[in-house]
Each structure stands twice: as structure tokens, then as C-alpha cells.
Amino acid sequence: MAEDGGPLSASDRNRAASVARDRQAAVATAALRLGFLLVVLALWWAAARSAPSGLFASPAAVAAALFRLVAEGRLLPALGESLSIYVSGTGAAIFFGIALGALMGTLRPVGRMLDVYVHALAATPRVAFIPLIIVMLGLGFQAKVLVVFLGAVMPVILNAYAGVRAADPDLVEMARATGASRRRILAHVVLPGALPFLVTGVRIGATIGLINTVVAELYTAVSGLGGLLAIYGSRFQMAEYLAVVVVLALIGVTMTEGLRVIETRLLRWRGAPA
């Protein structure tokens, strides 16, 4: 029934049916994910039981190690340090990558000039730059942020470039016919149309940024979550080692799902699925 007590209109019924389908799909997805997690935990437990003692930790041992690391004050400072590096490097990569990719896509001569160099840099392992970065910036925070930035920025640039180049030429021409400036066309026509590309680039860049955070912490001054991995791995403390791995996985899941929610909200006007 409508708010005034009358029958629901066709649009209201369709909207209600769509909401119900979305809820059912969300419940089904959550059930499938939970079921898969239980299977993984069962296989993990079986592998720990069959492995020689001390070689592989069980889920219960990892959970106990995780609580112990928190209680002893080892995990949270390392987590805070890693997150500060990750957020700083990835945030700078997103800002710079979108700006440069949009510039390359808008000014075609600039795009043709830089395209080959961007692809060449994207194909180069970031680890190859770490000795040079250490020489320039040392082993501290700035060096680690730069390693993360170099890893995260390439997918953002390439996807922003592709998204801007894929802009609908008819819409751009219509906007020009109304007297819109190039900046206005970019802000109100080109970038909204490029949103799927931009979101994809950000998601890939954020994932690579998390990986490079650990790499930076392993190859520069050993600290953060990467430092804990190095310490516990060298000592074969598998419960503590896997506890840190679980924390990294949780960061990745949180980041991915957060970006998925943002993507859904940004692309709602297109009627595009997340």
C-alpha cells in the first residue's frame, strides 16, 4: 500500500521487487562466502593436523597468537605504521594517477608522448627501484611511501587514460555546441563517463599498494607488519607469522569491500552492477 493508503503504483512495485531481490542476493552471497570460509578453515585444520609438529599452525593456534600479539602490544603499533605508509602512498597514487591519466586522455599529443613510457614503467618490477630509492631517500617513511606510490599509480594512470579516451564523442560534441569550456566538459561529461575505468584502476592500485607496503617494509628498514613477517618467518614461529598474514588479508578484504560500496554508489546513476 502507498503512504496515503491507496494501491502501490507500478514503479513502486518494481522498486520494492528490486529491493527484495537485492536483499536476497546479499543474503545468498553472504551464505556462500561463509560456507567457503568454513571449508577453508576445515582444510586448514586438516593440513595442520597432518603436518609435522611446528611446521604449520592450526586456526586455533593462529587465533591465540593474534590475541597474544595484541595483548603484548606488538601488533597494533605495527598495524598503525603499515596503514600510515599504505594510505599515504596509495592516496598520492590515486590523486596523481587520475590527474595524469585525465591529462593524457584529454590532450592527445601528451597521451601519445607519454603512453609508451607509462607502459614501460608499468612493466618494470618496482623492486628494481628500491636500491635507487634507498640511495635517494634512505630507509625511512618517505622511501616506503614512494615504493607504495610507484606500485599503485600505474593501474590508476592507465585506467584513467583509457576511460577518458573512451568518452562518448557525441556527448562531448553536444557539450561543446552549448559553449561549455574544456574544463567543464571534463568535469561534467568525460570523468562521469569514465567512472567505471577510474574505479577499476583505484581498486587494482589499492591492492598492489598493499602488497608493496609489505615489500617496502621488508626491503627498507624492517618495521610494520612486513617487519613482523620477517621476524617470525626467520624464527619459524608459524602461529605468529600466519596471524600477521591474516591481518593483512583482513585489510585487503576491508579495502576491497569499502571500494565496492563506493563503486555501487558512484555508478548507481548508470544502473550498472557492482
Side-chain angles (χ1 to χ4, degrees):
M1 299 291 288
E3 292 183 359
D4 58 0
L8 291 174
S9 65
S11 62
D12 290 334
R13 289 196 299 270
N14 291 336
R15 190 179 301 110
S18 177
V19 170
R21 285 194 300 269
D22 290 343
R23 288 177 179 173
Q24 291 175 355
V27 171
T29 300
L32 288 172
R33 289 177 175 177
L34 179 59
F36 183 76
L37 177 61
L38 293 176
V39 171
V40 170
L41 290 176
L43 293 174
W44 182 357
W45 178 82
R49 291 266 298 184
S50 60
S53 178
L55 184 62
F56 197 60
S58 67
V62 171
L66 181 60
F67 284 111
R68 186 165 59 253
L69 290 175
V70 174
E72 293 175 355
R74 300 182 190 177
L75 182 63
L76 294 183
L79 176 61
E81 184 173 352
S82 294
L83 287 178
S84 65
I85 295 169
Y86 172 59
V87 171
S88 299
T90 305
I94 291 171
F95 178 81
F96 179 81
I98 291 177
L100 180 58
L103 178 66
M104 291 170 60
T106 304
L107 302 178
R108 297 304 172 90
V110 175
R112 287 191 293 268
M113 176 182 66
L114 297 179
D115 178 87
V116 62
Y117 300 107
V118 171
H119 281 89
L121 185 58
T124 305
R126 306 305 176 271
V127 178
F129 296 105
I130 290 181
L132 179 60
I133 293 173
I134 292 175
V135 170
M136 294 189 305
L137 300 177
L139 300 172
F141 180 81
Q142 293 178 337
K144 296 174 185 177
V145 169
L146 182 56
V147 173
V148 176
F149 172 85
L150 290 176
V153 74
M154 290 298 111
V156 182
I157 294 175
L158 293 174
N159 279 273
Y161 179 37
V164 172
R165 289 189 63 187
D168 189 336
D170 294 332
L171 291 178
V172 174
E173 189 60 34
M174 290 173 59
R176 285 176 180 164
T178 62
S181 64
R182 174 173 289 183
R183 180 180 300 178
R184 191 173 183 83
I185 293 173
L186 178 65
H188 296 279
V189 178
V190 176
L191 289 181
L195 270 177
F197 293 86
L198 297 178
V199 173
T200 299
V202 169
R203 289 172 68 172
I204 298 173
T207 301
I208 297 176
L210 181 59
I211 297 171
N212 276 34
T213 299
V214 178
V215 171
E217 291 174 337
L218 289 174
Y219 279 85
T220 59
V222 178
S223 61
L225 295 178
L228 292 182
L229 286 178
I231 292 172
Y232 295 131
S234 64
R235 297 174 182 174
F236 292 96
Q237 294 178 259
M238 298 311 298
E240 288 79 4
Y241 182 89
L242 291 175
V244 178
V245 172
V246 168
V247 171
L248 288 169
L250 290 175
I251 295 173
V253 169
T254 303
M255 175 268 300
T256 300
E257 291 304 310
L259 289 175
R260 192 189 304 276
V261 172
I262 295 173
E263 178 183 9
T264 301
R265 293 185 179 276
L266 289 176
L267 301 183
R268 185 175 296 170
W269 63 276
R270 295 170 58 96

